[in-house]
C-alpha cells in the first residue's frame, strides 16, 4: 500500500520534515517565553481541544504540534538535537515519503484519538461542552515513536547516555517501553480520569505499532491466506514443470532448483520464503543482497 501511495503522492512529500518540526518547536518556545513574561495564555489557545475546534478554532489542528514537550531550556536543546538527528537518519534510510507517512500518521492518529474521546465523553456525560482534553495530547509520545523506530531499525547503534555512558539503542528502547508501561499502569490506577492519557499514548504510538508489525513480518489474515495460496500454487507449478506433469519422480528433486535471491544474513531465499522481498543494499561495498527483514537492520559492509 505504501508503494502505491508513494507512486501517486510521493511528489508531495516534504523533504527534511524534521527541520520544520523543530522550527515549530522553536516558535513554541518563543511563545512560551512571551507567555511567561506577559501572563497571557497563548499556549492554551494552541492545544488540541476538540470542543473549540468544532466551534471554529480550526488552527488548533496544527498549532498543538508546536507546543514544546519540555519546558526546561537545557533539556529542550538536548531533545531538539537528539530527535533531529534520529529523524534525519530515518528519512535518509526510509525515504522522504515513508518518513512523512510515519510522522503524519502519528499526528493523524492522535487527532482521531482526541475526537473519539471527545465524542464518547460527550455521549456519556450528556453534554457537548466537554473540554480539558487538550492537556493530554501532545507530541511527546510521537517523538518517542521516532526513538523506538530508530531503535528497531538500528538496534546495535550506540548512544551516550548522560553524555558518557555508551549503551545500545535496543536496550534504551526496552527502557523506554518500561517507562511507557509505568505511565499506562499509573493511568489505570486513576480510573476514568486516566482514560485520556491511555488514549493519548495509544494513538501517538499506533504508527510505531504498525511499523513494528511490518518489520517483524506479522500480517493480517488476508495477507496470510494470500501467501499460503501463492506458496501452494508456486510449489505445484514448479513440481509440474520439473517433472513434466508426472507424479512418479521423486519429489525431493524439487529441492535441486537454484535460488536467484539469497539474504546474506539469514540465508533465506525466494524458494524457502516466497513472501519475502529481496533487495541489494546500495550502501554496502559490493553486491550484498538482503531480505526485507534485514534490509534496514544489517551493518553496512565497508
Amino acid at each position: 500500500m505504501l508503494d502505491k501511495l508513494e507512486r501517486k503522492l510521493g511528489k508531495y512529500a516534504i523533504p527534511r520534515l524534521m527541520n520544520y518540526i523543530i522550527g515549530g518547536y522553536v516558535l513554541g518556545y518563543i511563545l512560551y517565553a512571551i507567555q511567561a513574561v506577559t501572563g497571557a495564555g497563548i499556549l492554551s489557545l494552541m492545544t488540541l481541544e476538540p470542543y473549540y475546534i468544532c466551534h471554529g478554532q480550526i488552527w488548533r489542528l496544527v498549532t498543538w504540534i508546536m507546543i514544546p514537550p519540555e519546558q526546561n531550556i537545557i533539556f529542550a536543546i538536548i531533545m531538539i538535537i537528539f530527535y533531529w538527528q534520529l529523524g534525519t537518519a530515518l528519512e535518509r534510510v526510509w525515504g522522504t515519503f515513508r518518513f512523512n507517512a510515519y510522522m503524519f500518521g502519528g499526528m493523524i492518529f492522535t487527532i482521531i484519538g482526541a475526537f473519539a474521546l471527545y465524542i464518547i465523553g460527550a455521549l456519556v456525560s450528556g453534554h457537548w461542552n466537554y473540554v480539558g482534553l487538550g492537556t493530554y495530547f501532545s507530541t511527546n509520545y510521537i517523538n518517542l515513536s521516532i526513538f523506538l523506530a530508530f531503535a528497531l531499525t538500528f538496534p546495535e547503534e550506540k548512544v551516550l547516555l548522560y553524555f558518557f555512558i555508551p549503551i545500545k539503542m535496543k536496550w534504551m528502547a526496552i527502557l523506554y517501553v518500561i517507562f511507557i508501561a509505568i505511565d499506562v499502569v499509573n493511568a489505570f490506577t486513576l480510573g476514568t480520569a486516566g482514560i485520556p492519557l491511555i488514549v493519548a499514548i495509544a494513538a501517538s504510538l499506533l504508527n510505531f505499532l504498525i511499523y513494528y508489525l511490518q518489520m517483524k513480518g506479522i500480517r493480517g489474515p488476508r495477507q496470510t491466506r494470500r501467501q499460503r495460496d501463492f506458496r501452494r500454487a508456486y510449489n505445484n507449478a514448479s513440481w509440474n514443470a520439473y517433472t513434466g506433469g508426472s507424479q512418479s519422480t521423486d519429489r525431493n528433486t524439487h529441492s535441486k532448483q537454484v535460488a536467484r535471491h539469497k539474504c546474506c544474513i539469514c540465508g533465506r531465499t525466494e524458494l524457502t520464503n516466497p513472501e519475502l522481498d529481496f533487495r541489494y543494499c546500495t550502501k554496502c561495498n559490493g553486491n550484498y543482497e538482503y531480505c526485507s527483514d534485514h534490509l534496514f537492520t544489517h551493518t553496512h559492509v565497508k
Side-chain angles (χ1 to χ4, degrees):
M1 185 183 66
L2 277 178
D3 292 336
K4 294 180 180 178
L5 290 176
E6 186 171 7
R7 285 193 293 268
K8 295 180 180 180
L9 306 175
K11 60 182 178 180
Y12 301 110
I14 303 174
R16 297 178 294 277
L17 179 61
M18 286 302 300
N19 291 353
Y20 297 100
I21 295 177
I22 298 303
Y25 280 155
V26 173
L27 181 58
Y29 281 113
I30 295 175
L31 295 177
Y32 174 75
I34 296 175
Q35 176 178 283
V37 174
T38 62
I42 302 176
L43 295 184
S44 63
L45 298 175
M46 301 168 58
T47 58
L48 182 60
E49 194 67 62
Y51 172 79
Y52 294 121
I53 295 174
C54 293
H55 286 75
Q57 299 182 11
I58 58 175
W59 64 81
R60 292 175 180 266
L61 291 172
V62 178
T63 54
W64 69 276
I65 304 173
M66 301 164 53
I67 298 178
E70 178 59 59
Q71 306 297 341
N72 187 290
I73 187 62
I74 297 178
F75 288 103
I77 295 174
I78 297 174
M79 180 273 297
I80 288 175
I81 296 175
F82 183 62
Y83 283 112
W84 178 84
Q85 292 175 336
L86 298 185
T88 304
L90 287 178
E91 183 176 354
R92 286 199 301 264
V93 174
W94 292 354
T96 300
F97 177 79
R98 291 177 179 268
F99 182 71
N100 274 230
Y102 186 81
M103 293 300 298
F104 286 121
M107 298 173 187
I108 292 173
F109 288 145
T110 301
I111 294 174
I112 294 175
F115 273 89
L117 190 61
Y118 168 70
I119 294 173
I120 295 174
L123 293 176
V124 173
S125 62
H127 55 83
W128 292 90
N129 56 346
Y130 189 60
V131 296
L133 296 178
T135 57
Y136 294 96
F137 293 91
S138 67
T139 58
N140 183 35
Y141 289 100
I142 295 179
N143 291 332
L144 182 57
S145 72
I146 299 177
F147 178 87
L148 295 177
F150 187 90
L152 186 61
T153 307
F154 304 102
E156 301 301 326
E157 287 290 328
K158 292 183 178 180
V159 295
L160 294 179
L161 183 64
Y162 299 114
F163 299 104
F164 64 91
I165 303 177
I167 184 172
K168 290 185 177 181
M169 291 295 295
K170 59 183 180 182
W171 304 124
M172 283 288 293
I174 294 175
L175 183 62
Y176 271 71
V177 170
I178 293 175
F179 288 154
I180 295 174
I182 294 175
D183 290 342
V184 173
V185 172
N186 291 335
F188 271 114
T189 59
L190 297 176
T192 56
I195 293 179
L197 179 59
I198 297 174
V199 174
I201 294 174
S204 300
L205 296 179
L206 185 56
N207 57 339
F208 170 74
L209 178 61
I210 295 174
Y211 174 64
Y212 174 81
L213 297 179
Q214 179 186 0
M215 285 290 294
K216 295 302 181 181
I218 302 176
R219 310 175 191 274
R222 179 180 300 178
Q223 289 82 359
T224 303
R225 183 171 60 254
R226 178 176 57 83
Q227 292 173 6
R228 184 185 65 243
D229 296 340
F230 170 81
R231 189 180 298 110
R232 184 180 302 155
Y234 174 84
N235 292 335
N236 293 336
S238 300
W239 172 250
N240 292 334
Y242 186 81
T243 62
S246 173
Q247 301 294 327
S248 60
T249 310
D250 185 6
R251 196 172 179 84
N252 291 331
T253 56
H254 174 67
S255 62
K256 295 182 180 179
Q257 295 183 83
V258 179
R260 298 178 58 187
H261 305 282
K262 183 178 181 180
C263 178
C264 297
I265 302 296
C266 62
R268 291 182 291 183
T269 67
E270 82 279 6
L271 298 180
T272 59
N273 297 85
E275 75 279 5
L276 295 176
D277 293 328
F278 294 86
R279 297 289 185 272
Y280 285 95
C281 179
T282 58
K283 295 185 179 181
C284 289
N285 186 14
N287 295 326
Y288 293 91
E289 191 175 19
Y290 304 92
C291 66
S292 54
D293 290 340
H294 297 104
L295 179 61
F296 299 115
T297 59
H298 69 276
T299 302
H300 296 300
V301 179
K302 301 297 183 181

